[in-house]
Amino acid sequence: MKIVIFGLSITSSWGNGHATTYRGLVRELAKLGHEILFLERDVPWYATSRDLPSPPYCRTVLYNSVGLLLGDYGREIMEADCVIVGSYVPDGIEIGRWVTRKAKGITAFYDIDTPVTLAKLERGDCEYLTPELIPIYRLYLSFTGGPILERIREQYGAREAVPLYCSVDPEIHYPVQQPAKWDLGYLGTYSTDRQPPLERMLCEPATLWKEGRFIVAGAQYPAGTAWPDNMKHIEHLPPEQHREFYTAQRFTLNITRKYMIQAGYSPSVRLFEAAACAVPVISDQWPGIEEFFIPGEEILLASTAKEVLGYLQELSDEDRQAMGQRARKRVLRSHTAGRRATELLDYIAGCENFRSKLPLSGGTHYGLCRL
């Protein structure tokens, strides 16, 4: 197939989690023989921080104007077998309207920020999607599963809303034997809603346990943020350094955005990355987390500094390492980029008017889209 993706970014992972998702998904689609054209708006904040300027598994076009882009690539977009528009794409509404009018293939909206998107739609300030566009797209692909999918169908009239969760790249994230430099670490860009739980579950344990070693990596934290003396802060960590970062920790911390907690069923890519490295995760609690990991066996749940310190100080190395290995097995079975590529192809193949174009392989389940 020829697949066109309008995405926030594939060339730069600075300050966003979209790039790692697109990289893994596109690479796995290319491995299966599909041709991908990735279209990314050329913006200055990514232009100065491109850690993968020319992805080897797709053609990438950086554009400055939607009009010029459609003039140069409009025919190719129209003739593609599938066109996907992602959340937070600049001028996403204009692009979505053009795509849903002109594209001959399957059209899909890929929402990497589903709870945030729905909150924006309720307020009327969503800059990349409108309620009127949702039922025109053939597929609504969502980073969030569970009850929110039915809401997208019933309230907004989506033809089909299906989960396409974040994933991990097992070629990049795997265990590495090295001495533990840190007792607990956290990887995540600054956000106002995540900061209170970060202070409660990372900074407070560091303050209470002076002998402990803590680290946080992420961009956009306000200048002058006060970190405990036994905590190190790294401004930005490129994806190729995530494995070394995780495997230098005894435990890693997962903190979920407010809207994701409210919606539930919203796993973070950082959670999958750490688990793939066999590093046990201490996570905040949200509805549906047990669909991805078994609490107490594959993941540890906490809400207070005392609970976090209990895990850090009381769990034996043997139990800690065993939990990490169980989490890794779960991720490799269910949450790889290869698995997501297969799921996406199944969704596309399930669209009745597209079925005849795809070869069916034995053992693959194809579910009909409601068109």
Side-chain angles (χ1 to χ4, degrees):
M1 288 193 301
K2 293 184 178 180
I3 301 173
V4 174
I5 300 175
F6 288 86
L8 175 64
S9 182
I10 196 172
T11 66
S12 174
S13 64
W14 187 86
N16 76 88
H18 291 230
T20 52
T21 292
Y22 284 126
R23 290 171 188 178
L25 181 64
V26 169
R27 191 199 66 233
E28 294 301 320
L29 289 170
K31 280 184 179 180
L32 295 172
H34 304 289
E35 178 185 333
I36 298 93
L37 170 64
F38 194 96
L39 305 173
E40 174 183 335
R41 184 66 175 260
D42 190 7
V43 294
W45 47 91
Y46 292 148
T48 56
S49 305
R50 290 203 167 103
D51 46 3
L52 190 66
S54 301
Y57 28 73
C58 65
R59 284 188 299 140
T60 302
V61 172
L62 301 174
Y63 62 93
N64 294 301
S65 161
V66 174
L68 292 175
L69 173 73
L70 297 178
D72 292 340
Y73 294 91
R75 176 65 60 182
E76 188 169 356
I77 298 168
M78 286 190 291
E79 298 294 335
D81 296 304
C82 179
V83 182
I84 299 171
V85 181
S87 54
Y88 275 98
V89 167
D91 301 306
I93 294 173
E94 177 185 354
I95 292 169
R97 287 171 176 163
W98 190 93
V99 164
T100 53
R101 286 199 316 268
K102 300 289 189 178
K104 298 177 182 179
I106 301 300
T107 59
F109 181 73
Y110 191 12
D111 203 341
I112 293 178
D113 310 274
T114 309
V116 175
T117 298
L118 296 189
K120 282 176 165 287
L121 290 172
E122 290 287 338
R123 296 194 303 266
D125 64 357
C126 188
E127 66 274 26
Y128 50 84
L129 185 67
T130 66
E132 294 74 24
L133 267 173
I134 293 176
I136 305 176
Y137 281 111
R138 293 292 183 86
L139 288 170
Y140 195 113
L141 307 168
S142 173
F143 246 39
T144 300
I148 205 169
L149 297 176
E150 190 62 29
R151 178 184 170 193
I152 294 169
R153 297 186 197 105
E154 298 299 326
Q155 181 176 344
Y156 292 100
R159 301 185 186 190
E160 187 61 80
V162 291
L164 193 66
Y165 297 114
C166 59
S167 63
V168 70
D169 185 344
E171 295 184 8
I172 296 176
H173 299 94
Y174 51 83
V176 175
Q177 296 299 322
Q178 63 168 313
K181 299 178 183 177
W182 316 101
D183 293 294
L184 181 64
Y186 171 74
L187 174 59
T189 303
Y190 173 81
S191 67
T192 54
D193 60 311
R194 275 196 301 232
Q195 194 60 20
L198 179 65
E199 292 176 359
R200 184 175 65 251
M201 297 173 67
L202 188 69
C203 296
E204 187 176 342
T207 301
L208 294 172
W209 188 26
K210 300 295 186 182
E211 297 79 11
R213 301 157 298 167
F214 299 81
I215 187 169
V216 57
Q220 301 179 25
Y221 285 87
T225 299
W227 302 106
D229 292 339
N230 54 343
M231 181 180 295
K232 180 178 180 180
H233 174 236
I234 300 173
E235 177 66 23
H236 173 63
L237 202 67
E240 63 270 16
Q241 296 180 20
H242 288 188
R243 178 183 65 247
E244 183 179 355
F245 177 76
Y246 289 124
T247 55
Q249 303 168 37
R250 293 176 56 238
F251 298 85
T252 199
L253 181 65
N254 175 69
I255 296 178
T256 310
R257 297 292 303 270
K258 179 181 67 174
Y259 287 123
M260 308 302 186
I261 291 176
Q262 292 172 347
Y265 299 86
S266 299
S268 164
V269 66
R270 307 304 179 214
L271 191 158
F272 291 153
E273 287 179 353
C277 293
V279 178
V281 177
I282 300 173
S283 177
D284 51 9
Q285 303 183 50
W286 37 269
I289 193 170
E290 66 280 355
E291 294 291 318
F292 305 95
F293 294 99
I294 301 173
E297 293 185 20
E298 299 168 338
I299 196 168
L300 298 166
L301 302 181
S303 58
T304 67
K306 182 179 179 180
E307 291 172 328
V308 172
L309 281 175
Y311 295 134
L312 300 184
Q313 297 174 340
E314 298 173 12
L315 200 66
S316 70
D317 283 343
E318 182 180 359
D319 289 342
R320 175 179 63 84
Q321 292 167 4
M323 176 169 289
Q325 289 298 330
R326 289 192 294 268
R328 172 172 165 77
K329 289 179 181 178
R330 179 67 175 268
V331 165
L332 295 183
R333 183 171 69 248
S334 305
H335 304 301
T336 64
R339 177 67 179 268
R340 297 294 179 259
T342 300
E343 291 168 352
L344 174 60
L345 295 174
D346 283 353
Y347 294 143
I348 295 171
C351 294
E352 193 169 26
N353 67 341
F354 198 72
R355 183 185 299 276
S356 62
K357 295 186 179 183
L358 281 178
L360 303 184
S361 58
T364 303
H365 172 72
Y366 295 90
L368 280 177
C369 296
R370 294 199 303 239
L371 300 180

